[in-house]
């Protein structure tokens, strides 16, 4: 997969940057630098095209997710991250998935998987309305920061709260941040940066 890698300093997180629909591997570089300029990052371009726009998994014309493709792409992305951890020499225990919109959705998929080797995520404007009842493993070691919009035109408050419940119902530690819309703002990133400090 097309990607950008930057090695940071020891003791700092490894951000895996996952863009929104229409973005690319450059989209969240400033986000990473804002939250921790000394962090390592691996920015990955989604390899699905929707009307010429990059995404991480397919969806149908009505906007609903192609669940088979979602799980297949999630498995492929996880394998790619594992391969890159070997190539570049970073530990999966240090990885923080940082995703916006479609990137946040594929991050949800990775974090919720049974036996996932990644347990931290910053999820901005996620929407994940698919059945996960087949996943049963406790997520008590998972820590996620989720930013949501009270007036998000894409994801309702109820749909946002559903994402929170997917994690909390399995014991994950969730930090909620409520903003205005489907967005990445300085206020969100400042809150995420403060949350990262609590994990040290």
């Amino acid at each position: 997969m097309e990607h950008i890698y930057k090695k940071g300093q020891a003791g700092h997180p490894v951000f895996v940057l996952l863009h929104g629909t229409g973005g690319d591997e450059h989209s969240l570089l400033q986000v990473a630098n804002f939250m921790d300029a000394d962090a390592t990052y691996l920015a990955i371009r989604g390899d699905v095209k929707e009307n010429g726009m990059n995404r991480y998994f397919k969806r149908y014309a009505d906007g609903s997710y192609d669940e088979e493709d979602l799980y297949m792409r999630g498995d492929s992305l996880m394998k790619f991250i594992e391969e890159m951890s070997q190539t570049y020499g970073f530990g999966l225990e240090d990885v923080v998935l940082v995703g916006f919109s479609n990137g946040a959705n594929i991050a949800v998929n990775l974090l919720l998987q049974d036996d996932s080797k990644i347990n931290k995520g910053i999820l901005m404007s996620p929407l994940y309305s698919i059945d996960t009842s087949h996943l049963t493993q406790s997520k008590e070691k998972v820590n996620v920061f989720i930013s949501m919009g009270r007036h998000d035109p894409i994801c309702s408050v109820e749909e946002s709260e559903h994402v929170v419940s997917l994690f909390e119902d399995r014991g994950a530690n969730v930090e909620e941040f409520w903003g205005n819309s489907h967005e990445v703002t300085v206020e969100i990133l400042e809150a995420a940066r403060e949350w990262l400090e609590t994990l040290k």
Side-chain angles (χ1 to χ4, degrees):
M1 300 177 78
E2 294 291 330
H3 67 279
I4 299 172
Y5 176 79
K6 186 207 80 169
K7 182 175 177 59
Q9 295 185 14
H12 290 260
V14 177
F15 294 138
V16 172
L17 306 177
L18 304 168
H19 60 77
T21 299
D24 62 23
E25 63 273 28
H26 300 275
S27 297
L28 297 181
L29 299 186
Q30 289 185 325
V31 166
N33 288 325
F34 183 93
M35 291 192 297
D36 188 342
D38 295 319
T40 293
Y41 63 66
L42 174 67
I44 305 171
R45 183 194 303 177
D47 56 4
V48 170
K49 293 288 186 182
E50 180 182 274
N51 299 320
M53 297 184 294
N54 299 316
R55 284 178 55 84
Y56 292 99
F57 59 90
K58 296 177 182 178
R59 59 183 172 182
Y60 299 113
D62 64 357
S64 61
Y65 298 169
D66 181 332
E67 295 186 27
E68 182 178 355
D69 189 73
L70 168 62
Y71 281 104
M72 184 270 288
R73 303 280 180 179
D75 287 344
S76 296
L77 181 58
M78 186 67 237
K79 289 175 182 175
F80 179 76
I81 295 170
E82 290 176 344
E83 289 170 2
M84 293 302 96
S85 75
Q86 296 294 318
T87 299
Y88 294 120
F90 61 82
L92 294 175
E93 68 277 5
D94 296 321
V95 166
V96 180
L97 299 177
V98 180
F100 170 63
S101 195
N102 180 243
N105 300 336
I106 196 71
V108 171
N109 178 269
L110 268 58
L111 289 163
L112 289 179
Q113 291 305 305
D114 288 343
D115 300 317
S116 176
K117 297 176 183 178
I118 298 175
N119 59 18
K120 294 183 286 292
I122 295 172
L123 312 173
M124 296 174 284
S125 300
L127 172 61
Y128 205 79
S129 54
I130 68 170
D131 182 17
T132 62
S133 60
H134 63 290
L135 302 170
T136 59
Q137 189 179 71
S138 170
K139 292 296 175 179
E140 61 184 12
K141 294 182 180 180
V142 170
N143 293 279
V144 289
F145 172 95
I146 305 178
S147 69
M148 300 158 282
R150 296 197 182 278
H151 306 287
D152 188 332
I154 296 174
C155 184
S156 69
V157 169
E158 291 75 20
E159 288 170 322
S160 295
E161 290 174 339
H162 175 68
V163 176
V164 173
S165 71
L166 289 175
F167 286 97
E168 290 186 338
D169 289 351
R170 290 170 64 193
N173 305 295
V174 180
E175 178 75 15
E176 298 180 39
F177 182 93
W178 286 92
N180 181 52
S181 189
H182 202 79
E183 60 194 1
V184 179
T185 66
V186 170
E187 290 76 17
I188 290 171
L189 299 182
E190 286 177 339
R193 183 167 60 187
E194 292 175 5
W195 172 80
L196 283 169
E197 287 295 318
T198 70
L199 301 183
K200 292 182 178 180

